[in-house]
């Protein structure tokens, strides 16, 4: 039996990277994927690639800072597939860099509005259907940076927002547990996909060294001899969304090829 047979999973933040991989894994494992992101053309492209006949996908342009748009995406899932069994939150603002000395706190507030409050808005929009289904799963995508800051880049606002989300996870796991709704977080480290590919290319160009050298600097930090991929992270998220993880809640799972062990 497929991991997600008959299940409907809402996936926020579907673009070219992790969100697409999560949606693809949902369909691969027998489920229905309801895709949300701000750019509808990205959603249409992703849906066409993973589900050419359109029988297992639906999508709607969604900005998770807008509560009504979150509710509309949840309604798409209910109208098309009749239920919501899980929601995987990939949508995030991860492109603001810097630390405390050069911080623009107005931008920090915007990062928090997306990464923390936006995720919670989308979760709340899906709660009625999760309850009606008799339970389900909420999966946050966090970051290893929330528990161990990387030395290569500074992303203090992103790390703080994702750390706050992980802290919120514990409260939600207690609050929603009586409804049999599980809440967990996947913490990716350096994850081979479009953002890290761009980092490797930029660093190699800036330092005038081969891309393989930059990649080796990263992989040498890992216990395993290569970086995890966005597909590996997607597989972890889909596992937590499935009934195979029915007794797991309030947990953070590092998917990082062993760079950090806790």
């Amino acid at each position: 039996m497929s991991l997600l047979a008959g299940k409907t999973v809402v996936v926020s933040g579907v673009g070219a990277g992790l969100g697409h991989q999560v949606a693809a894994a949902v369909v691969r494992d027998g489920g229905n994927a309801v895709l949300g992101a701000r750019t509808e053309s990205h959603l249409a492209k992703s849906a066409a690639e993973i589900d050419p006949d359109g029988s297992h996908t639906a999508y709607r342009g969604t900005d998770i800072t807008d509560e009504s748009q979150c509710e509309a995406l949840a309604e798409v899932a209910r109208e098309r597939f009749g239920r919501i069994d899980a929601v995987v939150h990939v949508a995030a603002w991860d492109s603001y860099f810097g630390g405390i000395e050069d911080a623009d706190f107005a931008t920090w507030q915007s990062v928090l509005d997306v990464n923390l409050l936006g995720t919670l808005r989308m979760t709340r929009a899906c709660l009625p259907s999760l309850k009606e289904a008799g339970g389900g799963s909420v999966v946050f995508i966090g970051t290893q940076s929330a528990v161990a800051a990387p030395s290569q880049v500074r992303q203090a606002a992103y790390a703080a927002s994702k750390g706050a989300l992980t802290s919120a996870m514990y409260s939600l796991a207690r609050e929603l547990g009586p409804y049999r709704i599980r809440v967990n977080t996947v913490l990716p480290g350096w994850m081979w996909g479009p953002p890290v590919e761009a980092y490797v290319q930029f660093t190699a160009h800036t330092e005038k060294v081969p891309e393989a050298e930059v990649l080796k600097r990263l992989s040498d930090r890992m216990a395993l001899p290569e970086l995890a991929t966005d597909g590996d992270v997607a597989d972890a998220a889909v596992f937590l969304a499935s009934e195979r993880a029915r007794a797991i809640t309030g947990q953070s799972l590092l998917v990082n090829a062993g760079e950090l062990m806790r």
Side-chain angles (χ1 to χ4, degrees), residues 123-136:
T123 299
R124 185 163 68 178
C126 293
L127 282 182
S129 289
L130 288 168
K131 290 180 180 179
E132 288 170 13

Side-chain angles (χ1 to χ4, degrees), residues 8 10 32 37 39 42 52 78 86 88-89 149 153 167 169 198 206 208 211 225 233 241:
T8 297
V10 174
N32 305 309
T39 306
H42 292 168
R78 288 190 291 266
V88 180
H89 297 282
V153 294
S167 292
M169 172 194 72
T206 301
K208 296 181 172 51
E211 291 180 17
V233 175

Side-chain angles (χ1 to χ4, degrees), residues 26-111:
V26 169
V27 173
R28 176 201 68 200
D29 287 346
N32 305 309
V34 180
L35 288 56
R38 290 181 300 171
T39 306
E40 193 152 338
S41 60
H42 292 168
L43 300 174
K45 183 175 185 292
S46 184
E49 288 179 6
I50 65 179
D51 182 36
D53 69 3
S55 59
H56 292 286
T57 56
Y59 59 85
R60 187 184 193 283
T62 306
D63 181 343
I64 61 171
T65 65
D66 184 326
E67 193 153 8
S68 66
Q69 292 187 42
C70 293
E71 292 170 351
L73 182 62
E75 185 58 29
V76 167
R78 288 190 291 266
E79 288 182 354
R80 177 66 188 279
F81 299 113
R83 60 189 294 141
I84 297 174
D85 298 282
V87 54
V88 180
H89 297 282
V90 183
W93 184 351
D94 61 357
S95 58
Y96 177 64
F97 295 88
I100 186 70
E101 290 186 301
D102 56 353
D104 173 358
F105 286 124
T107 304
W108 275 57
Q109 287 180 318
S110 297
V111 171

Side-chain angles (χ1 to χ4, degrees), residues 226-246:
E226 59 185 331
L227 272 63
T229 68
D230 51 11
D232 295 322
V233 175
D235 284 343
V238 165
F239 164 71
L240 290 172
S242 78
E243 286 300 304
R244 299 274 177 88
R246 63 181 296 275

Side-chain angles (χ1 to χ4, degrees), residues 201-249:
Q201 291 166 1
F202 174 79
T203 302
H205 176 76
T206 301
E207 298 183 7
K208 296 181 172 51
V209 297
E211 291 180 17
E213 180 179 324
V214 180
L215 181 57
K216 186 175 185 302
R217 292 178 202 166
L218 298 178
S219 60
D220 280 351
R221 302 164 63 95
M222 314 300 166
L224 298 173
E226 59 185 331
L227 272 63
T229 68
D230 51 11
D232 295 322
V233 175
D235 284 343
V238 165
F239 164 71
L240 290 172
S242 78
E243 286 300 304
R244 299 274 177 88
R246 63 181 296 275
I248 301 173
T249 195

Side-chain angles (χ1 to χ4, degrees), residues 151-208:
S151 57
Q152 296 89 345
V153 294
R154 288 181 179 172
Q155 283 184 295
Y158 178 65
S161 66
K162 291 294 192 174
L165 186 62
T166 300
S167 292
M169 172 194 72
Y170 299 118
S171 294
L172 267 64
R174 285 288 183 192
E175 178 184 352
L176 303 180
Y179 304 110
R180 297 186 184 277
I181 297 172
R182 298 172 285 107
V183 188
N184 293 288
T185 301
V186 177
L187 302 174
W190 287 94
M191 175 181 66
W192 188 250
V196 173
E197 289 178 41
Y199 167 81
V200 168
Q201 291 166 1
F202 174 79
T203 302
H205 176 76
T206 301
E207 298 183 7
K208 296 181 172 51

